[in-house]
């Protein structure tokens, strides 16, 4: 079964720096999404990229998708202390719509003011 | 408007007991999802409802787990004969339609601890 898998990282960066995290998956997908989670509770949807898209921007977020390598990256530019959180990628498998997301293990990002 | 709500926020129970976890989705959302998140891991899919019916329950770990959504709104996840390994945060999410590109809106979760 396909599963999003981040490079398990704990990033610690200074405010204003950029943060980059990666995700890989194993099978064909409909879309890939990134979520943020604070304090180990509810997840907040950040951005969705479709399988036929290569790059997408939303505010300070930039997501890339390389379906040939089955990988994605999330870039947060000009980080802020409020960006401190865990970030998860999640994939929706081809043929399953958006109905059973497979999440990776997450990246913990700490932004130091 | 109100987001997805889950009750209780925390539940402590003893091994072997029965528990019910409740999810109130965003009003009008037809799709509802349950996930389980263990410490240090990402959420793991359990079950998804389209309306009142369970469209995909393939993520339920065994027959001790069961979920219902009788009126197509509120859902209850039921766990029988709880085991210590069931301890996790149980997350509920909803979306307007079960389509290919619909964002899932997550609740704050219920932290279940089985002693």
């Amino acid at each position: 079964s396909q599963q999003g898998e981040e490079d398990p990282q704990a990033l610690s960066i200074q405010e204003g720096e950029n943060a980059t995290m990666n995700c890989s998956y194993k099978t064909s997908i409909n879309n890939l999404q990134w979520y943020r989670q604070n304090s180990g509770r509810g997840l907040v949807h950040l951005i969705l990229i479709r399988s036929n898209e290569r790059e997408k921007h939303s505010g300070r977020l930039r997501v890339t998708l390389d379906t040939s390598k089955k990988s994605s990256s999330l870039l947060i530019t000009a980080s802020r202390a409020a960006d401190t959180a865990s970030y998860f990628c999640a994939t929706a498998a081809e043929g399953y719509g958006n109905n059973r997301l497979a999440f990776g293990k997450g990246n913990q990002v700490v932004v130091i003011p | 408007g109100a987001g997805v709500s889950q009750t209780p926020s925390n539940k402590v129970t003893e091994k072997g007991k029965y528990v019910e976890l409740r999810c109130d989705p965003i009003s009008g959302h037809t799709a509802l999802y349950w996930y389980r998140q263990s410490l240090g891991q990402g959420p793991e899919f359990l079950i998804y409802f389209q309306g009142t019916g369970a469209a995909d329950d393939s993520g339920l770990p065994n027959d001790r787990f069961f979920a219902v959504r009788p009126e197509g709104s509120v859902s209850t996840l039921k766990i029988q004969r709880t085991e210590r390994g069931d301890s996790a945060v149980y997350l509920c999410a909803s979306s307007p339609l079960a389509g290919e590109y619909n964002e899932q809106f997550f609740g704050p979760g219920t932290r279940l601890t089985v002693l």
Side-chain angles (χ1 to χ4, degrees), chain A residues 54-82:
Chain A
R54 292 297 168 258
E55 186 172 312
K56 199 163 185 179
H57 296 256
S58 176
R60 293 183 296 111
L61 305 178
R62 172 178 170 257
V63 170
T64 63
L65 179 65
D66 187 335
T67 53
S68 66
K69 295 181 180 178
K70 292 186 167 57
S71 67
S72 172
S73 68
L74 171 67
L75 168 68
I76 305 173
T77 61
S79 63
R80 305 168 182 169

